[in-house]
Amino acid sequence: MPNSTAQMNGESKKRSHAWADASDEEDTKNDHRLKGEVAKGEAGPARAYTNGRNKKPRRNFGMPNGVGVAGSSKLQNLKEQRRQLPIAKGREALIEEIRRHDVAVLLGETGSGKTTQVPQYLLESGIAGAGMIAVTQPRRVAATSLAARVAAEQDTSLGQLVGYSVRFDELAGPDTRIKYMTDGMLVRELLSDPLLTRYSVIIVDEAHERTLRTDLLITKLKTILKERNTPSDGKGKASESAGNPLKVIIMSATLDAEKFSQFYDSCKILYVKGRQHPVKIYHTAVGQPDYLDAALRTFFQIHVDQPPGDVLIFLPGQEDIESLDKSIRLYANRLPAENMGVVICPMFAALPPAQQAKIFQSTPPNTRKCILATNIAETSITIPGIKYVIDTGKHKEKRHIARDTGSGFDALLTRDITKSSAMQRAGRAGREGKGYCFRLYTEEAFDTMPVSSEPEIRRTSLTSAALQLKCLGEDIEDLDFLDRPDLESIHSALKMLWFLGAIDNTKRLTDAGRKMAALPLEPNLACAVLESVKNGCTHEVIDIVSVLSSTSKLFFDISDERENAFEARRKFRHPSGDHMTIVNTFRSYQDIAATESKAARKEWCRKQYVNERTLLEALKIRDQLRATCDKMGIDWRTTAHDDEKPVTKSLFRGLVLHSALLQPDGTTFKQVYGRSVIKIHPSSSLADKKIPAIIYDELVYTNHIYARGVSAVPKAFLSEMSNQIKDQIN
Ligand code: CDP
Ligand code: MG
């Protein structure tokens, strides 16, 4: 990188400022086109609820407990903001339509007020009756931050009238009437309440994202509606005999309205017109292989040359966000004093709620806010004040890499986005006035992007979904989905469940399977917990699965500093591998936490290259798992003390399909129940060791297939397992 701004400007003009100036034509014609297509595809007459345009830029978005306007004037301010939202003008018409229909699809541009307002309208108008309103979100950070916002708008503290529920974290109580939750949590509630009787309205939000859980809900809600609402008077009205009718609203920010509507017997499509100012779109003249560097340069070009207005940069994931955060900080500090200051706000799935508030707060005078976000900011969360968008054109996508034998794996891969994402990203710049979007890719690259992404049901592992459906007495292969899953991936899920002992030879759910589903874990980790009960080491296994279920990794893995990290962690390293190393690290951290100050804990984590956020999250998860164990009558206190054998044995049971044997070359391993040849990831404590047999948490796919989170297991486990499998078959 150049070391002065002047130099940087000069150089960047040459290198990445060669923006191909897409004619004004393009502006947000893209978005207009979106509208056009929607209008064409409607099943019923669409209602444009409002064409309200707000010319006044509004910047003061207070979060609950946020800084800014205090007390009643803050509430007044929120009320005024609610009134100004595009959806507000159509409030009565919208309520009327929802009153008349059991199911509706609500379509509207991001920021029009769907997610925050519709639940409040339904509550305020009495449509929800005495039941609760659930609003599902694909991402936990959206669920928690939206709940906080709506609680503030209702002038209550979070967890009372308005609450949230995400895996391992819930803030809701007996008074809660509006609950923002992840789609996965509502699927989980199906297990204990198959007709979701606590809810009178279920809003499936961000349906266009087509996550596996959202698709599952859309499928299940169709039958639940039939059961709860007697359909037969022809007008779709619920008869009184049903007693507890349900309303379902599918909300989406993009095109798919027609598909959702058809799925629900051509239900009504309602349309909220958003507010969109023109956005001028620029593409780079040539491809930018180093998107982080390109984003950094583009940010400073805007910052130094362009009028005030906040910048939103779309990046694929947390690591990129953290790394760009550092470099922007570094260069911003070197700018001459006459430049505006920079306030950087990261936004990604694992961001703790306390830090989420920052992105909604207004910045001090003479500063520019720079938000570094994943695709969370595409449609789920609208951030005020954005005038410039920088789009790297990348996102992370979970994909199931199928192997011929069925023992595939899910990998989180950085991939190019779709046209629909690119348009949404650009649209974020034009909410309050004319905006600018800098795409760090060429126009040709945009043209070759697929229109929209494949639904998750067609690209991720179905194991846990198949298990949950089994518990509901249903077979994933028989269900009516918006898009059917692949046969191959259904087989691989069933095979996994069979290996874990969750289903028997006749594909019937076993007792163990039911218990696995009751634990809020992936089935393989749940299986390890159940096995630990037999082996008397539930304490350790729960510690391990808590860390493995956290959103981020425990150990920072910075390739340049791998050696230092390796040294620093020597004292935790267990000869059996990464799982017992987790136990040791977790224990040491708790010792420190019991005696030392917060700052000392932080420093300790920094020195060992340990992510404290992961440990804090793992502690929360562990509490939840222990509470679940208590409910299930599992004694989680049993411990193997310093003996690792029972622990690896329990993990082996859950990770059986993730076992591999050393090959004669002494460096690569071959999967026991698959055909892939893998290596131990360089970040593992067992890297470069010759271990006859290993288990691993996951495979990462770079220039080779690497196993991450590796432990050595005695070969005897493998033969015991194959005997057990023979018994299972007989
Ligand atoms: O769902 P939709 O995209 O239609 O809009 P929304 O999420 O209901 O957002 C409505 C408004 O609330 C936007 O102007 C957001 O910026 C604002 N909002 C906020 O200020 N703080 C939040 N935590 C969430 C939303
Ligand atoms: Mg929304």
Side-chain angles (χ1 to χ4, degrees):
M1 277 292 296
N3 52 15
S4 82
T5 338
Q7 200 185 336
M8 182 162 66
N9 273 334
E11 190 176 327
S12 55
K13 280 207 172 85
K14 260 184 273 135
R15 284 184 51 190
S16 64
H17 202 189
W19 296 104
D21 182 350
S23 66
D24 265 358
E25 284 287 283
E26 188 168 1
D27 280 353
T28 28
K29 283 277 160 53
N30 287 327
D31 288 65
H32 295 300
R33 201 162 66 216
L34 273 175
K35 279 181 219 157
E37 282 176 24
V38 170
K40 259 189 271 142
E42 282 151 2
R47 285 194 79 126
Y49 282 109
T50 163
N51 58 0
R53 276 199 161 209
N54 174 25
K55 303 224 166 55
K56 234 185 337 158
R58 291 169 301 112
R59 286 292 305 280
N60 209 342
F61 285 74
M63 283 277 287
N65 312 322
V67 289
V69 211
S72 67
S73 67
K74 183 177 161 192
L75 188 63
Q76 256 350 83
N77 191 13
L78 282 175
K79 279 203 176 128
E80 184 50 33
Q81 284 174 23
R82 283 190 71 188
R83 263 197 297 275
Q84 301 253 353
L85 284 170
I87 202 169
K89 291 209 180 75
R91 184 180 189 271
E92 296 314 316
L94 182 62
I95 290 173
E96 202 34 50
E97 291 288 359
I98 293 174
R99 210 186 281 284
R100 296 221 320 260
H101 301 281
D102 288 348
V103 200
V105 175
L106 175 61
L107 204 82
E109 277 164 35
T110 306
S112 48
K114 301 181 297 298
T115 312
T116 54
Q117 304 310 305
V118 174
Q120 297 185 77
Y121 294 170
L122 298 184
L123 188 73
E124 290 158 355
S125 65
I127 290 188
M132 271 204 284
I133 302 171
V135 189
T136 68
Q137 294 292 321
R139 298 184 194 81
R140 49 189 288 147
V141 67
T144 52
S145 103
L146 289 160
R149 168 72 179 193
V150 174
E153 289 184 356
Q154 287 285 329
D155 196 24
T156 68
S157 46
L158 188 56
Q160 292 182 339
L161 186 71
V162 185
Y164 68 79
S165 166
V166 301
R167 191 161 74 139
F168 304 125
D169 191 9
E170 171 153 12
L171 200 58
D175 297 333
T176 303
R177 302 290 313 283
I178 299 178
K179 193 155 90 176
Y180 286 85
M181 58 208 297
T182 48
D183 45 11
M185 284 310 290
L186 195 58
V187 170
R188 192 154 276 284
E189 277 196 27
L190 278 169
L191 300 181
S192 54
D193 181 6
L195 291 180
L196 297 173
T197 52
R198 302 165 69 197
Y199 302 97
S200 51
V201 181
I202 291 175
I203 300 177
V204 179
D205 199 6
E206 303 287 308
H208 64 273
E209 290 217 11
R210 302 291 311 278
T211 63
L212 173 57
R213 309 288 158 190
T214 289
D215 274 12
L216 259 177
L217 283 174
I218 288 175
T219 292
K220 286 299 304 170
L221 286 171
K222 193 169 171 177
T223 45
I224 294 175
L225 273 166
K226 287 215 175 85
E227 297 227 12
R228 280 179 56 181
N229 305 6
T230 318
S232 55
D233 68 357
K235 298 190 188 90
K237 278 219 164 155
S239 86
E240 290 190 356
S241 61
N244 183 10
L246 173 70
K247 290 208 182 281
V248 170
I249 304 167
I250 309 290
M251 300 205 296
S252 164
T254 57
L255 307 167
D256 295 328
E258 172 70 359
K259 188 162 187 160
F260 297 125
S261 160
Q262 269 175 11
F263 188 76
Y264 287 109
D265 306 322
S266 300
C267 73
K268 186 98 180 189
I269 299 175
L270 310 169
Y271 182 57
V272 194
K273 200 165 183 304
R275 187 185 286 139
Q276 182 68 47
H277 298 269
V279 175
K280 194 166 163 89
I281 295 175
Y282 299 86
H283 294 93
T284 53
V286 291
Q288 303 288 318
D290 186 347
Y291 57 81
L292 279 183
D293 183 58
L296 180 68
R297 285 163 194 284
T298 308
F299 171 74
F300 279 104
Q301 282 167 26
I302 295 169
H303 185 58
V304 172
D305 295 342
Q306 299 299 318
D310 296 340
V311 182
L312 168 61
I313 309 184
F314 283 101
L315 292 152
Q318 184 179 345
E319 299 82 44
D320 282 332
I321 288 177
E322 287 172 345
S323 131
L324 188 60
D325 183 339
K326 273 201 198 110
S327 19
I328 293 182
R329 238 173 255 278
L330 186 74
Y331 286 98
N333 283 337
R334 293 187 191 167
L335 287 181
E338 66 266 21
N339 280 286
M340 273 191 284
V342 181
V343 173
I344 306 172
C345 307
M347 188 70 186
F348 48 84
L351 196 71
Q355 284 177 44
Q356 293 168 18
K358 200 171 143 197
I359 64 166
F360 297 103
Q361 286 161 8
S362 40
T363 44
N366 203 30
T367 47
R368 194 193 296 273
K369 189 152 64 171
C370 172
I371 293 144
L372 309 178
T374 60
N375 53 5
I376 177 106
E378 245 173 62
T379 62
S380 311
I381 286 187
T382 318
I383 304 155
I386 305 293
K387 190 174 178 62
Y388 307 96
V389 163
I390 301 174
D391 174 13
T392 58
K394 306 277 177 197
H395 72 158
K396 284 219 168 150
E397 191 178 78
K398 210 202 252 173
R399 266 201 180 259
H400 192 66
I401 314 268
R403 290 278 163 231
D404 31 8
T405 51
S407 57
F409 55 92
D410 274 350
L412 205 53
L413 304 172
T414 297
R415 298 172 69 99
D416 290 343
I417 56 168
T418 59
K419 278 204 179 88
S420 150
S421 285
M423 290 173 192
Q424 282 294 340
R425 289 179 175 195
R428 296 308 112 246
R431 196 149 167 276
E432 292 170 12
K434 186 168 165 54
Y436 302 86
C437 172
F438 299 87
R439 290 180 172 161
L440 303 179
Y441 44 90
T442 62
E443 200 165 357
E444 293 70 50
F446 173 79
D447 288 338
T448 53
M449 283 174 179
V451 174
S452 57
S453 58
E454 214 182 351
E456 208 178 65
I457 199 163
R458 299 192 47 86
R459 57 181 164 82
T460 56
S461 150
L462 300 174
T463 313
S464 127
L467 177 61
Q468 286 173 326
L469 287 169
K470 281 277 177 206
C471 292
L472 295 171
E474 286 180 291
D475 286 315
I476 193 162
E477 58 271 40
D478 299 339
L479 284 177
D480 179 17
F481 285 108
L482 276 167
D483 285 282
R484 286 192 152 271
D486 269 356
L487 263 186
E488 194 189 340
S489 101
I490 291 177
H491 286 155
S492 124
L494 293 176
K495 179 178 160 188
M496 170 71 106
L497 291 179
W498 181 83
F499 262 94
L500 297 178
I503 56 173
D504 64 15
N505 290 337
T506 59
K507 293 203 272 183
R508 257 209 327 259
L509 185 69
T510 63
D511 271 354
R514 196 170 288 281
K515 285 188 187 146
M516 282 174 218
L519 287 161
L521 293 167
E522 281 300 308
N524 56 354
L525 298 183
C527 172
V529 171
L530 295 183
E531 190 69 14
S532 74
V533 177
K534 295 181 198 155
N535 300 330
C537 57
T538 308
H539 199 286
E540 286 86 351
V541 171
I542 285 196
D543 278 3
I544 295 169
V545 302
S546 301
V547 169
L548 296 184
S549 305
S550 301
T551 346
S552 2
K553 297 250 173 284
L554 176 58
F555 297 117
F556 286 116
D557 178 37
I558 309 154
S559 18
D560 303 347
E561 297 188 38
R562 223 168 245 158
E563 260 174 48
N564 295 342
F566 207 72
E567 271 315 301
R569 293 186 204 131
R570 185 180 288 281
K571 49 192 167 303
F572 312 130
R573 212 153 51 231
H574 194 281
S576 71
D578 298 329
H579 296 101
M580 285 304 288
T581 302
I582 290 179
V583 173
N584 287 343
T585 314
F586 209 176
R587 280 182 185 157
S588 308
Y589 176 75
Q590 284 177 96
D591 292 344
I592 303 274
T595 53
E596 304 284 331
S597 69
K598 205 169 156 188
R601 287 195 314 250
K602 238 192 166 82
E603 179 58 14
W604 181 89
C605 288
R606 199 189 57 77
K607 276 200 183 133
Q608 336 287 333
Y609 296 83
V610 163
N611 190 349
E612 187 173 23
R613 203 189 288 150
T614 310
L615 286 166
L616 294 172
E617 194 186 343
L619 281 169
K620 263 189 153 178
I621 296 177
R622 188 173 76 172
D623 286 345
Q624 296 263 336
L625 288 176
R626 287 178 173 178
T628 312
C629 283
D630 284 336
K631 272 191 227 143
M632 294 169 69
I634 293 176
D635 180 7
W636 51 263
R637 291 171 186 82
T638 61
T639 163
H641 300 287
D642 291 324
D643 183 8
E644 82 282 357
K645 275 236 178 59
V647 178
T648 42
K649 187 167 186 183
S650 310
L651 291 172
F652 172 72
R653 184 67 193 84
L655 297 176
V656 55
L657 287 180
H658 290 180
S659 54
L661 288 170
L662 187 66
Q663 301 216 101
D665 66 8
T667 52
T668 60
F669 294 78
K670 180 148 176 319
Q671 289 181 316
V672 177
Y673 298 99
R675 288 196 200 147
S676 299
V677 172
I678 60 187
K679 284 184 183 167
I680 298 182
H681 195 267
S683 66
S684 167
S685 62
L686 295 183
D688 306 324
K689 299 243 162 41
K690 288 190 175 22
I691 315 280
I694 57 164
I695 48 170
Y696 53 85
D697 297 328
E698 59 177 0
L699 293 179
V700 283
Y701 198 82
T702 49
N703 52 346
H704 203 282
I705 307 178
Y706 286 103
R708 227 172 13 197
V710 181
S711 279
V713 288
K715 270 188 157 173
F717 288 177
L718 289 166
S719 43
E720 263 174 52
M721 186 68 208
S722 59
N723 288 336
Q724 196 177 328
I725 287 169
K726 275 183 211 133
D727 287 349
Q728 223 166 299
I729 294 171
N730 295 327

